[in-house]
């Protein structure tokens, strides 16, 4: 989902390993803060009736923005 929102914001990345927020252990257990952030990001993306409004997703959660080094060229 994060990569999809990034791609719709014209930042295509390969894989999700670039996102420090997703580097949690253990992966198979809930992580309340991360899960809540992802739920809000998903709701913002789903509610955006225009692609241009998806920028607000990254405005609210800038730590989900891919760094320049992760963007595919």
């Amino acid at each position: 989902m994060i990569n999809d929102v990034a791609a719709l914001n014209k930042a295509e990345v390969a894989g999700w390993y670039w996102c420090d927020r997703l580097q949690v252990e253990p992966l198979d257990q809930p992580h309340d803060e991360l899960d809540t952030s992802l739920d809000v990001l998903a709701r913002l993306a789903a509610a955006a009736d225009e692609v241009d409004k998806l920028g607000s997703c990254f405005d609210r959660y800038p730590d989900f923005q891919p760094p320049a080094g992760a963007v595919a060229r």
Side-chain angles (χ1 to χ4, degrees), residues 34-59:
L34 174 62
D35 295 344
T36 299
S37 298
L38 291 172
D39 287 344
V40 172
L41 182 65
R43 282 194 296 276
L44 287 170
D49 57 350
E50 298 173 15
V51 173
D52 293 341
K53 292 183 181 177
L54 286 172
S56 67
C57 299
F58 281 155
D59 292 342

Side-chain angles (χ1 to χ4, degrees), residues 5 10 16 25 36 44 63 68 71:
V5 171
K10 301 194 187 314
W16 56 270
E25 292 292 332
T36 299
L44 287 170
D63 48 335
V71 176

Side-chain angles (χ1 to χ4, degrees), residues 3-4 8 13-14 19-21 23-26 30 33 35 45-47 56 58 61-65 68-70 73:
N3 287 350
D4 291 342
L8 290 168
V13 294
C19 188
D20 291 339
R21 284 288 302 272
Q23 305 298 325
V24 294
E25 292 292 332
E33 182 182 344
D35 295 344
S56 67
F58 281 155
Y61 292 103
D63 48 335
F64 286 138
Q65 289 183 359
R73 307 239 180 241

Side-chain angles (χ1 to χ4, degrees), residues 1 6 11-12 20 22 28 42 49 55 57 60 65 68-70:
M1 175 187 59
E12 294 189 42
D20 291 339
L22 297 179
D28 63 346
D49 57 350
C57 299
R60 180 144 184 193
Q65 289 183 359

